[in-house]
Amino acid sequence: MPYWGADDAVAELRRALSNRHAQADRLRYRNVLLRVIRRMTQGVDVSGVFMEMVKASATGDIVQKKLVYLYMCTYASRQPDLALLAINTLCKDCSDPNPMVRGLALRSMCSLRMPGIQEYIQQPVLNGLRDKASYVRRVAVLGCAKMQKLQGDTEVDGVLVNELYSLLRDQDPIVVVNCLRALEEILRREGGVVINKPIAHHLLKRMSDLDQWGQSEVLAFLLRYKPRSEEELFNILSLLDGSLKSSSPSVVMAATKLFLVLAKDFPQVQTDVLVRVKGPLLAACTSESRELCFAALCHVRQILGSLPGHFSSHYKKFFCSYSEPHYIKCQKMEVLCELVNDENVQQVLEELKSYCTDVSAELAQGAIFAIGSIARTYTEQCVGILTALLGLKQEHITSAVVQAFRDLVWLCPQCTEAVCQALPSCEEAMQDSEGKQALIWLLGVHGERVPNAPYVLEDFVEHVRSETFPAVKMELLTALVRLFMFRPAECQDILGRLLYYCIEEETDMVVRDRGLFYYRLLQAGVEEAKRVLCSPKSDPSLGLLEDQAERPVNKWASEFNTLVPVYGKACWAVVTANWAMEPRCGGFPCAAPMTAGTGSPTFS
Amino acid sequence: MIGGLFIYNHKGEVLISRVYRDDIGRNAVDAFRVNVIHARQQVRSPVTNIARTSFFHVKRSNIWLAAVTKQNVNAAMVFEFLYKMCDVMTAYFGKISEENIKNNFVLIYELLDEILDFGYPQNSETGALKTFITQQGIKSQTKEEQSQITSQVTGQIGWRREGIKYRRNELFLDVLESVNLLMSPQGQVLSAHVSGRVVMKSYLSGMPECKFGMNDKIVIEKQGKGTADETGKSGKQSIAIDDCTFHQCVRLSKFDSERSISFIPPDGEFELMRYRTTKDIILPFRVIPLVREVGRTKLEVKVVIKSNFKPSLLAQKIEVRQNPMWFCALE
């Protein structure tokens, strides 16, 4: 969004900053700095006042320093020569007696992105690693990672890496975790930080000192460690036992993942872990914070893929409450579908039935499709419920029910009779393409059992000229031709009119081609057409054997607690498809997309 | 980890923007606004993916907080971090609203600097942060204050600093419980659970060790092995707690072995434990709904609420909230 008057804003700010009176009054000066930052946040380019900001950094007030450094970190790449002037102050601050100032200066210096900064920051960072205040050490460690990013593809400094490895034994827990993170980034090309036996055991000992973020990350790093013996493996598992019941859901998830991956050769242990984590997961699914609830539900669905009966007895926890947002209700419905069993099917169906009349059309349709998928195992009850829903004569409900029927008839031919009896009641004007297609398909394939099928289809043919969806027209053609095979007398006239329209008047080429195809087929003779179109079907009493193979836990264990269950596998594949091709961000200004508005990737 | 953190108001204007890593561009700010805040349909999910970048967001009243990342991160951790961010901000200036954010602009930037370095969460304990980031700005500190702060920021006990002194040592305990009930339309109780929090306000000097006990079922069973049946007779009421989680300061090892909660409390107000019970719940109210259809255009709903408390107890400010009625589109 173009900001008019950007130049005026900059000029005004420059005047305000250079004002002698403002400089004398600390609070007033700070307000001016605030205005600069505010403009920066809004997207105005205020890099013009860099000079004045550099002068402002020479102050004893820490808050003022922070504001100036924040500004400089954002704009240093635009004005590298001026930024060099600030380096002096920054270097001086790195030796300030106050550890807070030292830490702040070090952090800001490492975040300045400009060519040639490496030579200035190398020494302060190395000093910082040995600083006696742990606050400074924390900043210095991450500073190493930032430094490495600036250097891009150059060789990794072995001395630095060794120093970081030795800092893993630091007494401050946050320094330890920062070391792991920094090493991971620096050694990215070599596969990240190496967790060998002494390091792994050291980390396990320090787990109790770490805060929730640290524990989460260490548990993720421990995934790399391969215990040498079964005894060691079980020792580790018992040491980390407490993390499964931690108060922080992210630690619980990280611990679960670690256990599942470590115990990949012991399916018993894996099942045991999943049983023990049931409680915390259920607690997360019913927590007040919706986002955590959502993340937990995604993971529950993943577990149900392998252990369908796992949460069956707790099905009530997955009933939707009125005020929940849409995305949680959708997830809960899918979970309910998967945990249905003989004992709870009645209750679950009752509950889903009440969602079918929800105000939100999407939710109602979702509930109907859920009942449709449960119908594959519990056909009679579900068909009964769905037929009853037709009686409501609500457009979106009818449409969803008919679609559910279509899918069901395909998989469970034994319910065809019941479905066909219900069909005559849903001819009323359905507006959406999906519903119409489903209805027409059903009438075409099972039309001989539905007495007024030809007349319903005739209705559609009458209005084919005003039909907007080509898919519906295609379906109509196919269905009529099929029905014609079984009830020629009734359908001949209608079919003729439809074919005439499709060939002579239809503008969509696909539909026209299909019409031509059927016309020529019929020209070859009815017997010939029948042979082509009505090939023998399989015995309806056999039903369909669906691939119900449960996915073994090991298939998804490594994706637990990442974004994969949240997005769903298909979506994630799309997201990561181009990751490998993206150039590594070297960090030099011409390549860095951080500069406002230049060369950033386009967002769809 | 987290590449950037943005805070917007309800109109989609950026209030705070902080980018931590190179791979997030300025466009990310606008992308979120266009695709999520101003999206025409209902917000689909708290995690959105736009151009291979993941946007996690949390909404507090009218304010949107968004965390952006391009890496494959742990969703639960990002959300927990956003909640922690909100908690810290609330601890400093109360309700999270546009006005409060605009007034405490500097403070929030300082906090963002401190809590997230290079996108990785650092020390986020409110108590520790409050000692060196104050709303009045940092006054020049004496040497002792400096060493005190650094020792707390880096000390073994991160949640309490040494040398706290009060004239009167006081301790307040609040137990806040909420009963959640799910009922079928016929009035049958489908599921009920109680979720409770024990909140403690401690104004104690030094580094006091406190012990906290509950009449947990397991304790009573341990005391009298084999007399589990007699608990009813002896009149001791025991409760079965399904699961409980504690504040970081509680020593869990002692809890497992002796079922005693011992801890050194942080100064001020904090949540000691959170627990959930699903058995033996005595519901405070009975809700009896009666729905009657009068003709095709009228619906009569009668809801009777009976209290299960003793008649001698009086209550004030009881609020009964009913979700607004909706009607299916009738022909």
Side-chain angles (χ1 to χ4, degrees):
Chain A
M1 197 151 68
Y3 283 89
W4 40 266
D7 297 324
D8 299 337
V10 170
E12 189 207 323
L13 286 168
R14 190 176 294 133
R15 248 179 289 128
L17 282 169
S18 335
N19 185 333
R20 199 79 55 79
H21 298 291
Q23 284 174 359
D25 181 355
R26 204 169 69 167
L27 226 53
R28 192 167 149 193
Y29 200 54
R30 201 192 289 176
N31 273 336
V32 180
L33 291 172
L34 255 169
R35 275 162 55 199
V36 176
I37 304 288
R38 200 164 278 155
R39 289 300 199 166
M40 189 177 87
T41 313
Q42 287 168 343
V44 182
D45 179 6
V46 288
S47 55
V49 292
F50 207 97
M51 196 64 222
E52 283 74 18
M53 295 297 271
V54 170
K55 287 190 207 144
S57 68
T59 166
D61 180 13
I62 291 196
V63 179
Q64 196 171 316
K65 268 198 212 283
K66 286 189 188 183
L67 289 173
V68 174
Y69 290 159
L70 174 65
Y71 170 91
M72 288 206 291
C73 289
T74 320
Y75 288 117
S77 40
R78 292 253 193 106
Q79 311 255 20
D81 316 312
L82 292 179
L84 273 173
L85 294 173
I87 299 281
N88 256 338
T89 329
L90 282 168
C91 284
K92 203 161 58 87
D93 282 342
C94 284
S95 334
D96 194 280
N98 185 347
M100 295 294 165
V101 177
R102 290 207 293 277
L104 172 68
L106 197 54
R107 189 164 46 215
S108 310
M109 217 154 56
C110 296
S111 310
L112 283 177
R113 263 174 224 80
M114 37 179 266
I117 187 85
Q118 287 93 290
E119 44 181 290
Y120 296 104
I121 60 176
Q122 194 141 17
Q123 197 47 48
V125 168
L126 282 173
N127 290 344
L129 287 176
R130 300 194 193 110
D131 196 291
K132 48 183 171 31
S134 56
Y135 181 74
V136 185
R137 289 204 297 276
R138 293 176 196 172
V139 176
V141 168
L142 283 179
C144 296
K146 293 179 196 168
M147 221 166 51
Q148 185 62 33
K149 251 206 153 155
L150 281 176
Q151 284 167 352
D153 287 335
T154 56
E155 277 264 336
V156 171
D157 184 359
V159 174
L160 196 63
V161 172
N162 278 338
E163 182 109 22
L164 285 173
Y165 267 116
S166 64
L167 268 177
L168 281 175
R169 312 254 166 201
D170 193 285
Q171 47 153 244
D172 181 62
I174 300 192
V175 174
V176 175
V177 182
N178 278 354
C179 278
L180 283 171
R181 295 159 168 162
L183 282 168
E184 175 74 10
E185 299 235 1
I186 295 177
L187 300 171
R188 177 160 296 190
R189 227 154 319 127
E190 299 163 26
V193 59
V194 171
I195 308 282
N196 55 21
K197 188 161 171 175
I199 296 184
H201 283 254
H202 172 73
L203 289 173
L204 286 166
K205 254 189 292 165
R206 304 241 25 213
M207 276 291 270
S208 47
D209 295 334
L210 303 172
D211 60 10
Q212 63 201 103
W213 321 116
Q215 287 190 2
S216 232
E217 295 227 34
V218 167
L219 286 168
F221 280 117
L222 282 173
L223 283 168
R224 285 187 204 172
Y225 176 60
K226 290 189 187 7
R228 310 250 176 86
S229 69
E230 214 175 287
E231 203 189 312
E232 201 190 337
L233 168 70
F234 286 113
N235 274 343
I236 296 180
L237 292 183
S238 59
L239 265 171
L240 291 174
D241 214 40
S243 313
L244 275 182
K245 300 269 181 187
S246 161
S247 58
S248 148
S250 63
V251 176
V252 172
M253 303 269 225
T256 311
K257 180 174 177 180
L258 181 62
F259 275 49
L260 288 176
V261 169
L262 279 180
K264 61 176 180 290
D265 298 321
F266 302 97
Q268 280 296 76
V269 180
Q270 286 181 332
T271 322
D272 185 55
V273 166
L274 288 174
V275 168
R276 287 168 68 208
V277 88
K278 216 200 298 197
L281 265 182
L282 280 173
C285 287
T286 44
S287 86
E288 295 145 0
S289 46
R290 297 165 170 178
E291 292 79 13
L292 277 178
C293 185
F294 174 74
L297 281 170
C298 293
H299 286 95
V300 165
R301 281 183 62 198
Q302 182 118 74
I303 296 181
L304 280 176
S306 291
L307 295 172
H310 203 64
F311 290 96
S312 292
S313 47
H314 300 273
Y315 63 95
K316 288 191 191 151
K317 299 256 161 58
F318 298 102
F319 284 174
C320 302
S321 115
Y322 182 83
S323 52
E324 276 170 355
H326 189 86
Y327 51 85
I328 292 195
K329 287 190 191 173
C330 284
Q331 291 285 329
K332 282 192 171 175
M333 280 200 294
E334 308 234 4
V335 170
L336 279 174
C337 284
E338 303 207 17
L339 53 73
V340 136
N341 65 18
D342 289 334
E343 289 154 358
N344 58 24
V345 66
Q346 263 312 88
Q347 298 250 23
V348 171
L349 283 177
E350 275 295 320
E351 188 67 21
L352 285 173
K353 195 159 71 150
S354 60
Y355 301 155
C356 294
T357 44
D358 192 274
V359 167
S360 146
E362 266 204 55
L363 202 70
Q365 294 194 323
I368 294 173
F369 291 136
I371 298 186
S373 70
I374 297 181
R376 291 176 204 176
T377 355
Y378 298 97
T379 323
E380 277 164 35
Q381 296 149 306
C382 296
V383 172
I385 295 179
L386 290 172
T387 319
L389 283 172
L390 283 177
L392 290 172
K393 305 244 182 252
Q394 293 266 322
E395 197 217 304
H396 63 276
I397 294 184
T398 312
S399 162
V401 169
V402 172
Q403 288 177 56
F405 275 154
R406 173 196 56 192
D407 297 332
L408 198 54
V409 155
W410 189 243
L411 290 165
C412 301
Q414 64 266 32
C415 65
T416 322
E417 203 45 63
V419 166
C420 291
Q421 285 184 348
L423 274 185
S425 50
C426 39
E427 303 133 29
E428 267 91 74
M430 265 200 282
Q431 297 300 334
D432 66 320
S433 148
E434 291 290 317
K436 284 195 230 179
Q437 282 179 54
L439 181 61
I440 297 174
W441 185 88
L442 279 168
L443 289 172
V445 172
H446 298 285
E448 65 262 30
R449 296 187 224 196
V450 183
N452 62 341
Y455 308 107
V456 178
L457 290 176
E458 180 170 16
D459 230 357
F460 280 109
V461 172
E462 298 281 306
H463 298 107
V464 75
R465 277 176 192 80
S466 50
E467 180 57 60
T468 36
F469 301 106
V472 176
K473 297 184 210 178
M474 303 253 280
E475 202 64 57
L476 196 52
L477 270 169
T478 317
L480 254 180
V481 175
R482 278 206 187 106
L483 198 56
F484 176 67
M485 299 290 137
F486 295 103
R487 295 160 83 160
E490 296 160 298
C491 300
Q492 185 168 355
D493 186 48
I494 312 169
L495 183 57
R497 272 184 280 149
L498 181 61
L499 281 175
Y500 178 81
Y501 166 77
C502 287
I503 300 175
E504 299 294 326
E505 295 177 36
E506 175 58 50
T507 46
D508 186 311
M509 281 301 117
V510 185
V511 178
R512 185 169 179 276
D513 275 350
R514 175 80 67 99
L516 270 172
F517 165 70
Y518 282 133
Y519 181 71
R520 287 169 190 153
L521 184 63
L522 286 168
Q523 264 189 330
V526 176
E527 280 314 310
E528 202 52 43
K530 216 174 190 171
R531 208 165 56 85
V532 169
L533 288 175
C534 305
S535 36
K537 296 190 190 146
S538 48
D539 187 355
S541 59
L542 279 179
L544 202 74
L545 285 169
E546 250 189 292
D547 182 16
Q548 291 280 0
E550 292 163 4
R551 287 172 298 138
V553 175
N554 285 330
K555 266 210 160 157
W556 50 262
S558 53
E559 292 161 359
F560 199 77
N561 199 26
T562 61
L563 284 174
V564 179
V566 176
Y567 280 128
K569 244 194 146 96
C571 195
W572 185 249
V574 172
V575 170
T576 49
N578 293 333
W579 270 10
M581 302 199 300
E582 248 170 54
R584 224 172 280 272
C585 297
F588 265 91
C590 43
M594 205 192 128
T595 50
T598 54
S600 316
T602 47
F603 279 83
S604 47
Chain B
M1 257 290 281
I2 298 181
L5 207 95
F6 308 122
I7 304 186
Y8 308 78
N9 68 1
H10 66 281
K11 283 182 265 183
E13 290 164 356
V14 182
L15 298 173
I16 304 271
S17 132
R18 184 91 163 93
V19 178
Y20 293 98
R21 299 182 75 97
D22 273 341
D23 42 11
I24 309 292
R26 177 86 203 169
N27 293 12
V29 186
D30 299 322
F32 183 77
R33 180 194 309 137
V34 167
N35 284 300
V36 182
I37 303 185
H38 293 319
R40 249 180 255 121
Q41 72 261 56
Q42 208 183 4
V43 172
R44 286 293 148 203
S45 112
V47 181
T48 337
N49 189 282
I50 308 169
R52 298 184 296 277
T53 317
S54 306
F55 291 77
F56 300 80
H57 78 268
V58 161
K59 200 157 178 244
R60 288 275 181 272
S61 55
N62 272 344
I63 303 290
W64 301 74
L65 288 111
V68 185
T69 176
K70 262 198 159 154
Q71 299 170 359
N72 191 0
V73 296
N74 312 330
M77 194 158 147
V78 177
F79 285 126
E80 259 191 72
F81 178 78
L82 284 173
Y83 297 144
K84 196 77 191 133
M85 187 71 215
C86 293
D87 285 343
V88 171
M89 290 203 286
T90 315
Y92 268 97
F93 50 75
K95 187 164 171 276
I96 297 183
S97 67
E98 187 174 345
E99 187 158 338
N100 274 345
I101 292 185
K102 282 195 172 155
N103 291 341
N104 293 285
F105 199 58
V106 181
L107 177 71
I108 297 179
Y109 269 113
E110 285 187 74
L111 285 172
L112 284 177
D113 226 17
E114 214 42 64
I115 306 184
L116 264 190
D117 190 359
F118 205 31
Y120 294 108
Q122 308 284 298
N123 188 2
S124 55
E125 270 303 312
T126 318
L129 289 170
K130 272 198 168 171
T131 54
F132 58 90
I133 298 184
T134 60
Q135 279 168 301
Q136 288 79 35
I138 300 186
K139 304 159 237 158
S140 57
Q141 294 145 336
T142 61
K143 249 211 157 93
E144 297 120 48
E145 281 176 326
Q146 268 181 39
S147 61
Q148 245 178 30
I149 289 173
T150 35
S151 81
Q152 186 190 350
V153 167
T154 65
Q156 282 296 84
I157 296 189
W159 60 84
R160 192 183 174 89
R161 65 181 164 86
E162 311 250 348
I164 301 181
K165 276 215 170 55
Y166 284 102
R167 225 168 21 96
R168 263 202 351 213
N169 290 314
E170 292 174 314
L171 189 62
F172 301 96
L173 264 178
D174 283 312
V175 179
L176 306 154
E177 287 189 339
S178 81
V179 181
N180 297 297
L181 169 70
L182 185 66
M183 253 171 69
S184 75
Q186 288 75 36
Q188 181 203 10
V189 172
L190 290 174
S191 87
H193 73 268
V194 173
S195 53
R197 310 165 46 210
V198 177
V199 176
M200 192 165 132
K201 291 192 189 110
S202 86
Y203 303 107
L204 302 166
S205 321
M207 300 289 249
E209 262 229 29
C210 305
K211 221 166 169 181
F212 180 79
M214 334 179 265
N215 56 341
D216 195 40
K217 211 168 206 163
I218 300 185
V219 174
I220 305 220
E221 275 176 4
K222 260 202 180 157
Q223 282 176 353
K225 285 200 182 137
T227 56
D229 322 293
E230 298 178 29
T231 42
K233 279 193 223 155
S234 67
K236 264 196 190 151
Q237 291 279 320
S238 65
I239 42 164
I241 293 190
D242 275 1
D243 54 76
C244 46
T245 56
F246 299 100
H247 190 267
Q248 187 192 12
C249 63
V250 172
R251 280 183 222 128
L252 285 173
S253 49
K254 282 212 170 157
F255 181 70
D256 280 331
S257 52
E258 305 162 354
R259 209 72 178 179
S260 71
I261 305 171
S262 73
F263 57 97
I264 297 180
D267 193 40
E269 181 173 337
F270 73 100
E271 183 182 288
L272 177 62
M273 74 184 268
R274 232 179 240 245
Y275 59 90
R276 239 169 37 106
T277 324
T278 48
K279 306 189 188 70
D280 297 333
I281 299 176
I282 306 170
L283 300 166
F285 294 99
R286 250 189 20 212
V287 179
I288 307 167
L290 295 157
V291 177
R292 196 164 70 99
E293 274 183 55
V294 183
R296 290 190 70 187
T297 50
K298 208 161 118 168
L299 190 71
E300 205 177 82
V301 176
K302 199 158 102 163
V303 180
V304 177
I305 301 183
K306 281 195 187 160
S307 132
N308 288 334
F309 291 113
K310 287 192 278 223
S312 51
L313 287 173
L314 288 171
Q316 282 178 326
K317 284 199 182 166
I318 299 186
E319 199 179 300
V320 178
R321 234 179 283 165
Q322 183 206 326
N323 277 313
M325 301 285 280
W326 48 265
F327 293 92
C328 248
L330 299 172
E331 286 169 80

